[in-house]
Amino acid sequence: MKKFLSIVLICLALGGVVFAQAKKGPTLRNRDPDTLVFVLAAAPQPLDPNIYTTLNEAQIMREINETLIGMKSDNTFYPILAETIPTIQNGLVSKDGSVYTIKLRKGVKFHNGNPFTADDVVFSFNRILHHPKSSSKSMFSAVLSVVKVDDYTVKITFGKLKDPEYATVALTSWEDRAKYMTASPYGPALNILAHYCSGIEDKETVEAAGADYGTKIVVGTGPYKFVSWPNPQEVQLTRNEAWWGDANTVAFKNIVFRAMSEQPQVNNVLITGEVDMAFNLSKLDIGNLERNGLVITTKPGVTIWYGVFNMNSDLVGQKKNGKLDLSGQYTEGDSTHLRRAIFYSINPVPFIKQVDIFNGYAVPANQMMQPGFLGYVEGAPAGTPFAEFNEKTWYYNKEKAKAEFAMLSPEFRAKLGPESVTLVVGNVTDRVKIANNIKDQVKTTLGFDLIKVVPMVNAQIIQQSKTGDGYDMVVTAWFTPTMDPDYTCIIYGGDSIGTGMNGALYNNDIVNKNIQIGRYSLDRKTREEAYIKVQTQLMTDKPYFPMVYENVLFASHPRVGNLDQAIFKTKLVDIHLLTRLQ
Amino acid sequence: MPALFIGGAGMLSNADIAFVPDQYFRKGSVMFRYIMRRILMLIPVLLGVTFIVFSLMYITPSDPAQMMLGANASPAAYKQMREDMGLDAPFIVQYGRFLFGYKHPVFGYKGLLFGDLGRSYVSNRIIFELILSSFPNTLILSVGALILALLLGIPIGIISATKPYSVADMVFTVFALLGASMPVFWIAMVLIYTFANNLRIFPAIANPRDFLSLVLPIITLSMNSMAIIMRMTRSSMLDVMQQDYIRTARVKGMDEKTVVFKHALRNALIPVVTVAGLQFGSLLGGAVLTEKIFSYPGLGSIMVDAIFQKDTPQILGSVCFVAITFTVINLAVDILYGFIDPRIKSTFSTKKKLVRGNQ
Amino acid sequence: MDKILEIKDLHVHYYSNRRTVRAVNNLSLDMQRGRVLGLVGETGAGKTTLALSILNMISAPQGKIISGSIRFDNTDILGMSNQELRELRGKDIAMIFQDPMTALNPVLTIGEQIAETIFKHEKVSKAEAWSKAEEMLETVGIPGVRAREYPHQFSGGMKQRVVIALSLACNPRLLLADEPTTALDVTIQAQVLDLMRGLIKTNNTSVLFITHSLGLVVENCDEVATMYAGEVVEYGTVKQVFGNPLHPYTKGLLGSLPDYSEGSPRLRPIPGLMPDPTNLPKGCYFSPRCPNVMPQCHELHPENSSIEVHLVKCHQYQENLHVEQSI
């Protein structure tokens, strides 16, 4: 027995020594150093930018298919497949701001040798707008027509619906668009031309490949070309040596994209060095990653976390004669007071610090618009509804909360039992934690456990948000890939009611009017003023409460460089801009 | 089912009738009919399975059209998509389409009965092509795990049985209990943390082409089965070692090794074979978690992703495939059983002559 | 006369639940070569234990041979190594068990089971062992071709014949037959016993025939020993013991046989039960039930009194050494 025990002890000791020795930085093992391994959060859908839009395939498609123009990490535009950025000044934009003349870059070839011409541009836009499977129809809905002028010139006309009634009509061809739309300037025009969904595809290849395009056959003009997709979770690209943009500046010869959905496992493979870059990290363990020699890059992102007060709710909404008040002229009633009471009871700053939610990688939000966008109001200027905002405590105000609560009429107060306000949230751990924190904060401030947290499948939340039934509050997040305020305005635009995007079912004429101004003007100043007005109105009515702006967070192998230039606020990475340090 | 066979064989041997020797067995006809019957039973099984899965997909919230178009689709586009995908048709019509086919230029297919469910909503790959290319990977893991479970489980079970309640037996019992109760997820994480992160011996990502990377997932997957097979072998051996014919073998002067391996083990392995067959079925299913963690491209990962994304045709195709595999495996085990146990073998034969035993 | 088996003062205990079962107590027994010795006793008397002890197959930790000696053909069994014992078993001493249904391995052919003994103990090739196995089957009346079949394809009686073939395959000097026909029905019983008698005579095998049937003893045995509570209480030739039973237990056994000459008889059992082997009475073990019990029976354990070859353990006969030989 003694012998046995002593053997066991020796083994444990040896094991401990080996363990201690073994901790070193991420190694490449016997991996090819010329290959960058990039982790995606889920298996990518087909690599067809005109049709599929999630972040996972977007990361891949951006390297293969290029757009007409691009956006740098400082939000300025630069030409890619277009020769110059069209502006009114250089005459490439019509005087009324609705027609963009794009001069295409000459001498560009697709990966299979086919020449890049105007036909491909027309084809791609037609696909985005009219293909039955396309998921980006809404984003590009302002495009009225794309017309070939000659092999290297294209005219894109933007427009709007002649009548808001036509919103339910499916526009399935250029003719339909001509019939139901009229030309108009479009504020985010350049933004959507820079969005990866408008990556240009080769007409000849796509038509020939049929349903196999995107999975077996993928062709573009970009710095990387498609090699293979051996199983749903792995995509292989290789450098396009014939790239028009100088292949010598592209550091990594090959890219392998690997889908890994388990976050702790992502941390593991970063530590062992089996992958080079990842964003779907287990936030809890960031410190451990740093200790193991990985480079952590974080910068502000374009995801805003916010809460919704359902205007169709008897408890926190705005109803007139028992029906949803769509007039926007809100009268102060009991529900208004309760809404404000809850509003002032919340403080999202602790969520940011909380290790298992944001772990410090977020910034408190003072309005329903991301920082850096047109019309964003910095800080807390006096005389505005933003004045109450504070970096440390957000809009939290215990006295005001209690005061509002005290203003409730006795009958209304009597109706309020414990957990009578339903807060629905997507059944993802972080979101539920945030919801529960809100519940606790309200309970502490008002002294009354008012909120009931109901986790739900996200799709069901969207479903219920179409009609505004079955919930009083929602906690959710919004991501704006176009980097333009117009896309964020979908949340509170009157025309979004019934789509499930406007969860508060909020309709305000001032807001709607200014959204329209912002949407259909080209002048920056005009747009900016319009959006400021929108935000001011929103923070006055308080149908939504903004919580935090979430940071973008990447971990990478120390051999990868130029991260700051290459990583965007949209969580996308310009892999061809990365450099090799080792 | 094996119990019934043993009972039947037992009853027959007690009768005062001598069986005809081997050369008169026409294994062909009865065995063939038996196999055919079992394969025909597949049809109601598949219908039942697909019906249940389809119903579940139908009643759960989450709309494939919505998922395809993304969160901010226009109502018009959404309506069009639903029509194209055939989601507005009544339940029975949709189910019927899955069996017999759906005519549509973009979303059409020939139907389950023709082995064509069209393309996955999410990945746009041809569903059966995807299943057939990923299934062998899952098979590699499952077969590997089963082999490991048998290779380690049976010998350890024998050792435990021949030295019951010794120190070795206690250690192995604890090990077995741990293996059976630890969740697959946890085992995987511990193994990865130890061997991948710290000792850097094995990679954390598994790849069917790289054998070294398969070691950790196979160990992970086999833990549970190994524990079960170990305990099964142990108890079966203990049971067999008490039998009279073991005493006879010893009394004949056979050495202990012959007694254990030739006399006892062959009998003890009979229930273990049944358990191993069942374990294989659960290994095929249990591979899901292991595949997810090790990011391994098998059928399990595909099924899980399909379920989360409400990719109904993909789910149906995968589920059918697994059901067929499971049935075939069980059939194989039942037949194998007949070859191992001579008592079962006889029931597969035809009795050409019944001869009154001459005593 | 030539003694093939000499057992002296054998004590065998079993251990279960922290209680000691005294299965064999101070047992002494001699067997003559070439003779059939019947060992009679009720269930629980220790007969099977005795047989297993002869082969030194009492398995620790459940059981243990405490003390005593067993000599087989002048070889000390209890001092033999495991290797020597394995060579002895099946070759020099063979054993047949009571239940033929479970004595054979169901997954091996009967031919294989016989041939493996032959192959182990005799220097022949596997093919020769197999043909010898087929021959053995023929001698017990089973067609040799059936050696390829499995036990479940045979009836009970045929299985027991296979077991006999198996045990006699290597021509053992001593055969321990533990109630070989108890599990068979009467007609088969007769056939099997005929067979056994024939084979024993041919090979001059000595047999220890364990049974609880007095009738079988009379038909098949030369000598008989009565066993009670783990010891031999009476021993002699069949004629002696059954003609003139001395020990009250033997008398009780014979007396309990129904006597049809008196019309419809009433059964005359021996009153009482065999003592609990974990708690044997002081003095003579039979004393609680003995009709001729004397005071010293409760105090003192009786020694063997011998009347020529007719031995008896009873206080009645302690002093009286001369008993007329009854016919």
Side-chain angles (χ1 to χ4, degrees):
Chain A
M1 195 59 182
K2 257 199 193 153
K3 227 193 202 177
F4 181 66
L5 276 174
S6 48
I7 295 177
V8 169
L9 279 166
I10 294 175
C11 284
L12 282 174
L14 272 174
V17 169
V18 177
F19 237 62
Q21 298 288 16
K23 254 192 158 70
K24 22 178 195 270
T27 57
L28 281 178
R29 282 187 105 235
N30 34 13
R31 189 153 74 78
D32 172 24
D34 231 342
T35 304
L36 181 83
V37 180
F38 193 99
V39 176
L40 301 173
Q45 294 179 100
L47 302 173
D48 189 340
N50 299 153
I51 294 182
Y52 298 98
T53 58
T54 78
L55 211 62
N56 296 304
E57 54 270 11
Q59 186 57 68
I60 309 174
M61 299 188 294
R62 294 173 81 253
E63 301 297 326
I64 301 175
N65 296 87
E66 297 174 294
T67 47
L68 294 172
I69 60 181
M71 202 176 193
K72 291 207 217 118
S73 48
D74 59 3
N75 294 4
T76 55
F77 296 104
Y78 67 100
I80 304 185
L81 288 178
E83 273 185 344
T84 39
I85 306 287
T87 60
I88 297 191
Q89 286 80 358
N90 64 16
L92 289 175
V93 177
S94 64
K95 280 270 164 47
D96 69 345
S98 64
V99 184
Y100 287 66
T101 307
I102 315 277
K103 290 228 180 290
L104 302 176
R105 195 176 292 274
K106 297 188 177 61
V108 176
K109 287 200 174 2
F110 285 100
H111 298 143
N112 57 3
N114 287 356
F116 160 67
T117 64
D119 287 322
D120 302 304
V121 176
V122 175
F123 172 78
S124 297
F125 278 93
N126 185 41
R127 223 151 175 266
I128 298 171
L129 292 170
H130 305 131
H131 192 283
K133 275 184 167 179
S134 161
S135 9
S136 25
K137 289 178 184 151
S138 318
M139 195 185 292
F140 289 83
S141 57
V143 173
L144 172 55
S145 69
V146 177
V147 172
K148 167 178 171 177
V149 175
D150 60 53
D151 272 343
Y152 293 102
T153 316
V154 175
K155 261 198 164 66
I156 303 183
T157 311
F158 291 91
K160 61 181 178 186
L161 289 169
K162 288 178 181 161
D163 192 311
E165 299 284 303
Y166 295 151
T168 53
V169 176
L171 303 171
T172 57
S173 64
W174 296 120
E175 291 74 34
D176 278 349
R177 301 194 102 83
K179 188 167 152 195
Y180 292 102
M181 290 171 73
T182 177
S184 152
Y186 184 59
L190 291 179
N191 295 69
I192 65 167
L193 289 181
H195 190 269
Y196 57 80
C197 285
S198 62
I200 307 299
E201 300 181 358
D202 179 19
K203 173 175 177 173
E204 203 184 296
T205 311
V206 175
E207 282 178 341
D212 279 336
Y213 186 78
T215 52
K216 297 208 174 106
I217 301 174
V218 181
V219 152
T221 58
Y224 281 96
K225 51 185 180 179
F226 177 76
V227 173
S228 73
W229 198 340
N231 59 67
Q233 292 147 336
E234 188 178 329
V235 180
Q236 295 169 354
L237 304 187
T238 191
R239 187 167 53 210
N240 176 14
E241 306 296 345
W243 189 42
W244 60 268
D246 193 3
N248 290 323
T249 58
V250 179
F252 287 95
K253 184 159 196 294
N254 304 308
I255 314 178
V256 170
F257 289 95
R258 277 201 129 268
M260 296 182 77
S261 52
E262 303 300 316
Q263 291 174 345
Q265 177 68 338
V266 173
N267 282 32
N268 282 334
V269 295
L270 280 166
I271 292 175
T272 61
E274 286 169 76
V275 303
D276 290 305
M277 262 182 105
F279 59 87
N280 57 334
L281 311 165
S282 169
K283 291 207 193 74
L284 286 172
D285 240 353
I286 305 283
N288 191 28
L289 287 176
E290 284 180 306
R291 277 194 295 275
N292 273 289
L294 287 147
V295 175
I296 306 290
T297 313
T298 184
K299 49 165 71 171
V302 291
T303 303
I304 173 173
W305 289 74
Y306 63 99
V308 177
F309 289 109
N310 184 2
M311 295 294 109
N312 195 31
S313 149
D314 291 314
L315 296 175
V316 298
Q318 294 287 151
K319 285 177 117 163
K320 203 180 215 167
N321 303 326
K323 285 220 294 224
L324 171 64
D325 186 349
L326 289 168
S327 71
Q329 310 295 328
Y330 289 155
T331 49
E332 293 222 342
D334 284 313
S335 54
T336 321
H337 291 300
L338 184 60
R339 184 164 80 246
R340 291 199 198 127
I342 297 176
F343 182 90
Y344 288 115
S345 310
I346 302 173
N347 181 6
V349 177
F351 309 166
I352 299 176
K353 299 208 183 92
Q354 197 167 328
V355 170
D356 53 346
I357 303 183
F358 294 108
N359 201 5
Y361 295 104
V363 168
N366 67 345
Q367 65 197 261
M368 290 298 294
M369 180 62 71
Q370 291 91 333
F373 284 19
L374 267 182
Y376 178 75
V377 178
E378 277 291 336
T384 63
F386 313 108
E388 302 170 303
F389 177 76
N390 181 310
E391 284 288 330
K392 291 204 175 59
T393 56
W394 191 70
Y395 287 98
Y396 173 70
N397 193 324
K398 188 166 181 177
E399 290 72 39
K400 255 196 159 158
K402 285 191 141 137
E404 292 283 349
F405 196 68
M407 284 196 246
L408 295 174
S409 70
E411 309 86 56
F412 189 83
R413 180 69 185 80
K415 270 199 295 172
L416 285 180
E419 295 203 331
S420 44
V421 174
T422 307
L423 166 57
V424 305
V425 61
N427 57 358
V428 176
T429 331
D430 326 18
R431 296 196 182 197
V432 176
K433 282 186 186 154
I434 294 176
N436 278 318
N437 283 359
I438 292 177
K439 172 191 164 89
D440 287 335
Q441 285 176 337
V442 169
K443 181 172 167 188
T444 315
T445 313
L446 297 179
F448 183 42
D449 190 8
L450 198 52
I451 295 181
K452 175 174 170 181
V453 174
V454 178
M456 230 184 240
V457 178
N458 206 42
Q460 193 177 345
I461 299 181
I462 296 178
Q463 188 69 26
Q464 286 181 234
S465 304
K466 288 183 183 172
T467 50
D469 291 316
Y471 64 98
D472 299 304
M473 291 172 69
V474 186
V475 161
T476 183
W478 185 267
F479 172 70
T480 306
T482 56
M483 304 287 291
D484 183 273
D486 184 53
Y487 196 83
T488 315
C489 289
I490 296 175
I491 303 176
Y492 24 85
D495 50 1
S496 303
I497 295 183
T499 63
M501 301 298 118
N502 186 340
L505 276 74
Y506 174 70
N507 189 55
N508 181 294
D509 293 328
I510 300 175
V511 166
N512 291 344
K513 193 174 93 181
N514 281 294
I515 292 178
Q516 294 290 311
I517 294 174
R519 184 171 295 168
Y520 296 119
S521 318
L522 281 185
D523 180 44
R524 282 182 70 86
K525 200 90 192 349
T526 317
R527 297 187 78 206
E528 192 175 2
E529 280 167 9
Y531 290 125
I532 293 177
K533 290 200 183 110
V534 170
Q535 293 305 315
T536 312
Q537 186 64 41
L538 277 173
M539 290 319 287
T540 311
D541 287 338
K542 297 186 173 58
Y544 293 98
F545 58 98
M547 288 194 285
V548 304
Y549 305 120
E550 191 182 353
N551 279 9
V552 157
L553 186 63
F554 270 86
S556 53
H557 195 288
R559 75 191 189 114
V560 180
N562 198 23
L563 295 161
D564 202 56
Q565 289 289 309
I567 298 181
F568 288 91
K569 290 184 186 167
T570 52
K571 254 198 229 175
L572 293 169
V573 179
D574 265 348
I575 298 181
H576 58 274
L577 291 180
L578 294 171
T579 56
R580 265 174 72 178
L581 297 177
Q582 292 164 13
Chain B
M1 244 192 290
L4 265 169
F5 277 130
I6 293 178
M11 283 191 316
L12 287 167
S13 64
N14 266 331
D16 220 7
I17 297 170
F19 278 104
V20 180
D22 276 280
Q23 62 253 44
Y24 292 146
F25 289 165
R26 271 178 35 230
K27 282 191 217 134
S29 80
V30 177
M31 177 78 92
F32 180 72
R33 274 187 280 148
Y34 175 69
I35 294 178
M36 278 292 108
R37 253 188 298 138
R38 289 290 294 269
I39 291 182
L40 281 176
M41 282 197 329
L42 259 181
I43 297 178
V45 165
L46 285 179
L47 277 178
V49 159
T50 50
F51 190 79
I52 292 174
V53 171
F54 185 81
S55 313
L56 282 173
M57 289 294 120
Y58 191 80
I59 59 180
T60 46
S62 239
D63 189 344
Q66 184 83 61
M67 296 193 109
M68 264 197 117
L69 290 177
N72 33 333
S74 70
Y78 174 69
K79 201 162 92 89
Q80 182 66 38
M81 183 63 93
R82 273 190 75 89
E83 247 181 70
D84 282 329
M85 292 171 82
L87 295 173
D88 287 328
F91 174 82
I92 280 297
V93 172
Q94 289 196 46
Y95 183 63
R97 281 184 180 149
F98 272 113
L99 292 180
F100 302 109
Y102 176 49
K103 282 201 168 60
H104 189 277
V106 176
F107 292 103
Y109 49 85
K110 284 191 249 156
L112 186 59
L113 294 182
F114 296 95
D116 173 25
L117 275 179
R119 290 171 180 266
S120 148
Y121 290 161
V122 173
S123 70
N124 206 39
R125 288 169 186 250
I126 296 177
I127 286 173
F128 276 103
E129 211 179 85
L130 190 56
I131 294 176
L132 287 172
S133 67
S134 60
F135 183 68
N137 296 338
T138 304
L139 211 58
I140 294 176
L141 275 191
S142 306
V143 169
L146 187 65
I147 291 177
L148 185 64
L150 289 171
L151 269 180
L152 283 184
I154 293 180
I156 295 181
I158 296 175
I159 297 175
S160 292
T162 49
K163 294 194 172 66
Y165 309 113
S166 63
V167 172
D169 185 24
M170 296 300 181
V171 167
F172 290 134
T173 305
V174 167
F175 176 68
L177 282 173
L178 282 176
S181 35
M182 288 194 291
V184 164
F185 200 99
W186 191 81
I187 298 175
M189 293 308 277
V190 167
L191 284 175
I192 292 174
Y193 183 72
T194 318
F195 292 99
N197 284 7
N198 283 305
L199 294 177
R200 303 283 169 105
I201 305 176
F202 299 107
I205 303 181
N207 195 317
R209 298 182 294 266
D210 175 14
F211 177 71
L212 207 61
S213 71
L214 292 177
V215 172
L216 289 184
I218 286 181
I219 295 179
T220 307
L221 196 55
S222 72
M223 281 282 131
N224 200 289
S225 298
M226 195 191 299
I228 293 174
I229 287 176
M230 191 196 300
R231 294 302 289 176
M232 192 73 216
T233 308
R234 178 185 185 274
S235 70
S236 186
M237 277 291 285
L238 279 177
D239 187 55
V240 162
M241 297 290 275
Q242 301 296 328
Q243 297 297 316
D244 281 347
Y245 52 83
I246 300 294
R247 194 171 56 168
T248 307
R250 290 207 177 107
V251 145
K252 286 196 307 199
M254 309 313 291
D255 57 278
E256 204 56 21
K257 207 162 123 207
T258 313
V259 170
V260 167
F261 287 100
K262 184 173 170 192
H263 286 263
L265 191 60
R266 280 191 58 172
N267 280 283
L269 279 185
I270 295 170
V272 176
V273 163
T274 317
V275 165
L278 288 171
Q279 281 299 302
F280 189 70
S282 77
L283 279 173
L284 277 181
V288 166
L289 272 174
T290 312
E291 283 178 21
K292 264 278 150 206
I293 296 170
F294 287 96
S295 181
Y296 183 78
L299 190 56
S301 300
I302 292 178
M303 267 176 38
V304 166
D305 286 337
I307 292 172
F308 276 125
Q309 287 158 315
K310 267 219 108 172
D311 190 357
T312 309
Q314 180 72 60
I315 300 172
L316 282 176
S318 313
V319 161
C320 280
F321 203 82
V322 173
I324 293 175
T325 311
F326 194 79
T327 309
V328 167
I329 298 292
N330 272 307
L331 176 60
V333 169
D334 278 346
I335 294 175
L336 185 67
Y337 210 86
F339 281 105
I340 299 179
D341 189 346
R343 292 169 283 193
I344 310 287
K345 203 195 255 185
S346 333
T347 64
F348 286 135
S349 68
T350 51
K351 302 195 281 274
K352 255 213 152 159
K353 288 194 285 188
L354 296 181
V355 179
R356 276 256 150 221
N358 46 329
Q359 299 182 17
Chain C
M1 264 190 278
D2 193 6
K3 294 209 177 122
I4 186 153
L5 188 65
E6 288 172 78
I7 305 175
K8 274 195 180 32
D9 305 328
L10 185 66
H11 288 264
V12 181
H13 291 178
Y14 283 116
Y15 305 103
S16 78
N17 285 4
R18 285 191 268 129
R19 296 195 307 178
T20 312
V21 176
R22 296 170 59 189
V24 173
N25 305 295
N26 208 13
L27 187 143
S28 300
L29 187 64
D30 293 339
M31 257 189 86
Q32 310 295 337
R33 190 184 305 275
R35 312 272 274 176
V36 180
L37 169 60
L39 189 63
V40 182
E42 293 168 58
T43 315
K47 313 189 293 287
T48 309
T49 311
L50 175 62
L52 288 174
S53 312
I54 297 174
L55 286 169
N56 204 355
M57 273 187 65
I58 303 290
S59 48
Q62 299 95 309
K64 191 171 176 201
I65 298 178
I66 305 290
S67 63
S69 80
I70 302 179
R71 293 188 75 80
F72 168 72
D73 225 352
N74 271 318
T75 331
D76 176 20
I77 297 249
L78 298 181
M80 281 173 122
S81 69
N82 276 333
Q83 170 91 342
E84 291 169 325
L85 280 170
R86 279 199 291 265
E87 280 171 35
L88 179 87
R89 294 176 193 146
K91 178 159 180 250
D92 299 307
I93 310 181
M95 187 161 172
I96 303 176
F97 291 101
Q98 178 175 332
D99 187 357
M101 303 305 283
T102 55
L104 293 169
N105 193 328
V107 299
L108 297 172
T109 58
I110 57 165
E112 174 61 35
Q113 297 189 51
I114 301 175
E116 83 175 330
T117 333
I118 300 173
F119 185 70
K120 170 153 177 90
H121 292 295
E122 296 178 13
K123 286 187 176 36
V124 291
S125 71
K126 282 212 169 143
E128 286 170 346
W130 183 268
S131 55
K132 189 131 197 294
E134 285 181 336
E135 276 172 41
M136 283 309 297
L137 284 175
E138 295 281 352
T139 60
V140 297
I142 295 175
V145 286
R146 296 196 68 185
R148 269 184 281 138
E149 292 181 23
Y150 292 92
H152 69 272
Q153 292 166 283
F154 294 87
S155 67
M158 300 186 86
K159 278 210 258 271
Q160 193 64 312
R161 286 197 254 161
V162 171
V163 170
I164 292 170
L166 181 59
S167 59
L168 296 176
C170 299
N171 207 356
R173 285 175 265 162
L174 174 62
L175 176 66
L176 307 172
D178 189 354
E179 311 210 33
T181 54
T182 311
L184 305 172
D185 43 71
V186 181
T187 42
I188 312 293
Q189 207 174 60
Q191 290 176 4
V192 168
L193 285 170
D194 277 341
L195 179 64
M196 271 179 71
R197 269 200 299 271
L199 289 170
I200 293 165
K201 239 201 176 72
T202 325
N203 302 314
N204 202 29
T205 322
S206 315
V207 180
L208 180 66
F209 192 96
I210 300 174
T211 178
H212 57 260
S213 163
L214 300 168
L216 285 180
V217 171
V218 169
E219 282 176 14
N220 297 289
C221 303
D222 303 317
E223 278 108 23
V224 60
T226 348
M227 214 171 143
Y228 186 80
E231 56 179 356
V232 170
V233 295
E234 187 160 356
Y235 168 77
T237 63
V238 170
K239 233 177 162 184
Q240 285 173 332
V241 175
F242 283 16
N244 182 21
L246 296 178
H247 196 282
Y249 178 61
T250 320
K251 286 197 212 164
L253 280 179
L254 288 166
S256 63
L257 288 171
D259 184 359
Y260 292 96
S261 60
E262 292 174 24
S264 60
R266 299 195 83 197
L267 290 175
R268 285 164 295 171
I270 308 172
L273 293 166
M274 200 181 278
D276 177 4
T278 62
N279 191 13
L280 290 169
K282 194 170 165 209
C284 171
Y285 299 144
F286 191 63
S287 48
R289 304 163 83 183
C290 184
N292 308 342
V293 63
M294 300 183 296
Q296 68 260 49
C297 299
H298 295 296
E299 299 301 318
L300 203 59
H301 198 89
E303 293 297 319
N304 259 331
S305 318
S306 69
I307 302 105
E308 284 197 19
V309 80
H310 192 162
L311 300 169
V312 61
K313 255 189 193 174
C314 182
H315 283 299
Q316 290 176 81
Y317 306 99
Q318 284 301 114
E319 293 84 33
N320 194 352
L321 292 172
H322 300 289
V323 173
E324 284 132 45
Q325 297 244 21
S326 44
I327 303 149

